[in-house]
Amino acid sequence: MSLTTVFRRASSRVATLAFRSVRSPLTVRSASERLILGTQQLTRPSVISFSRFHSTESAVTKTTADENLVSVLESEIECAVNEEAPDQNVMEDIPEGFPFKIIDTPGERTVLLQRSFEDETIQVEVDSSAPYDDGDEAEQEQGEQNDDEDDEHSVKIRIPMVVSVSKGDGVCLEFGVSAYPDEIVIDSLSIKHPQDSDNELAYEGPDFDDLDENLQKAFHRFLEIRGIKPSFTDFLADYVANKDSREYLQWLKDVKSFVEK
């Protein structure tokens, strides 16, 4: 055998051993990886099972909370019907000489009063959310100090209103008014032009209290002959309180209907 042949065989054997030595760790690692992968595959169903359990638990909690809310809403509706039932005959108590048409839209917090006066259109926006005023702090402190004072004396009826007097060209006088049973208080006065409706920087006039006293009295007379009188305040207070009860009752029913869906 020649030296060249021996050398070739020896080289071939060394190469084979080297290839096996390199390949073996890969084979071991592949087996390990398959073992780890198999472990992950075995543990994965338990994770899915926990997620399903958690979702089921959340659904049960939600159902219980919703049922409890519906129960409380039903109780509150029953109380509202029995204790604060809206007076369906309130329209029959309109005082004599009340000149306005009442526009009461369900779902809105305001009541509109409208009338025509000669060449003018008068609209009064009455806020039904605040028909009462606790008075100033001095009156409250005095009421707290006098234990024998009736609670009714510490609560004063106040109806906030916005009175608009307009003519054919769209220009109107807008009064911010507080109506009490014994007086009408003008809180603000401005003149509105149609083209200034979106102009937040438009001049709205001086504070009403800064006007000359005679001018203030003339404006009070201006409103009085157009139907803004303290004699109507008690009726309006009853009406807006009745509306507030109706709106609250309907609100409870709407919320209950939503939760039950």
Side-chain angles (χ1 to χ4, degrees), residues 159-184:
I159 307 296
M161 303 187 299
V162 176
V163 181
S164 299
V165 181
S166 61
K167 298 187 178 182
D169 57 359
V171 179
C172 73
L173 285 179
E174 185 175 280
F175 296 82
V177 173
S178 294
Y180 297 93
D182 55 349
E183 66 174 336
I184 297 294

Side-chain angles (χ1 to χ4, degrees), residues 116-132:
S116 296
F117 181 75
E118 296 183 358
D119 62 339
E120 300 173 350
T121 299
I122 303 172
Q123 178 170 287
V124 183
E125 185 175 331
V126 184
D127 190 346
S128 65
S129 64
Y132 298 101

Side-chain angles (χ1 to χ4, degrees), residues 219-254:
F219 275 122
H220 277 93
R221 179 58 181 167
F222 177 88
L223 290 180
E224 182 180 4
I225 64 174
R226 285 163 175 78
I228 311 301
K229 303 177 181 179
S231 57
F232 300 143
T233 299
D234 286 334
F235 163 71
L236 290 176
D238 290 341
Y239 189 92
V240 296
N242 181 73
K243 175 178 175 59
D244 186 67
S245 295
R246 285 186 281 112
E247 296 297 343
Y248 175 61
L249 180 59
Q250 187 59 49
W251 179 83
L252 289 172
K253 293 179 179 180
D254 291 343

Side-chain angles (χ1 to χ4, degrees), residues 127-179:
D127 190 346
S128 65
S129 64
Y132 298 101
D133 184 15
D134 292 334
D136 57 28
E137 295 182 359
E139 291 178 349
Q140 292 183 26
E141 293 177 357
Q142 183 178 1
E144 292 174 356
Q145 293 174 359
N146 188 356
D147 295 335
D148 296 331
E149 184 178 6
D150 192 341
D151 290 341
E152 293 183 358
H153 294 292
S154 62
V155 178
K156 191 174 184 179
I157 295 177
R158 171 183 172 272
I159 307 296
M161 303 187 299
V162 176
V163 181
S164 299
V165 181
S166 61
K167 298 187 178 182
D169 57 359
V171 179
C172 73
L173 285 179
E174 185 175 280
F175 296 82
V177 173
S178 294

Side-chain angles (χ1 to χ4, degrees), residues 37-147:
L37 180 59
T39 304
Q40 292 176 346
Q41 291 175 344
L42 288 174
T43 57
R44 186 174 299 171
S46 62
V47 175
I48 296 175
S49 177
F50 175 77
S51 299
R52 290 175 179 174
F53 173 78
H54 182 70
S55 299
T56 303
E57 183 182 14
S58 299
V60 172
T61 303
K62 176 181 179 297
T63 301
T64 302
D66 289 359
E67 290 175 349
N68 178 69
L69 177 56
V70 170
S71 177
V72 176
L73 285 168
E74 289 175 346
S75 178
E76 186 67 17
I77 289 172
E78 184 177 356
C79 290
V81 170
N82 295 334
E83 298 179 7
E84 301 180 5
D87 184 4
Q88 303 299 329
N89 299 320
V90 67
M91 292 297 293
E92 298 178 2
D93 299 329
I94 295 179
E96 184 178 357
F98 188 74
F100 293 96
K101 174 185 178 182
I102 299 177
I103 301 175
D104 186 353
T105 303
E108 295 185 1
R109 60 178 286 177
T110 57
V111 177
L112 294 181
L113 311 178
Q114 290 183 345
R115 69 167 299 195
S116 296
F117 181 75
E118 296 183 358
D119 62 339
E120 300 173 350
T121 299
I122 303 172
Q123 178 170 287
V124 183
E125 185 175 331
V126 184
D127 190 346
S128 65
S129 64
Y132 298 101
D133 184 15
D134 292 334
D136 57 28
E137 295 182 359
E139 291 178 349
Q140 292 183 26
E141 293 177 357
Q142 183 178 1
E144 292 174 356
Q145 293 174 359
N146 188 356
D147 295 335

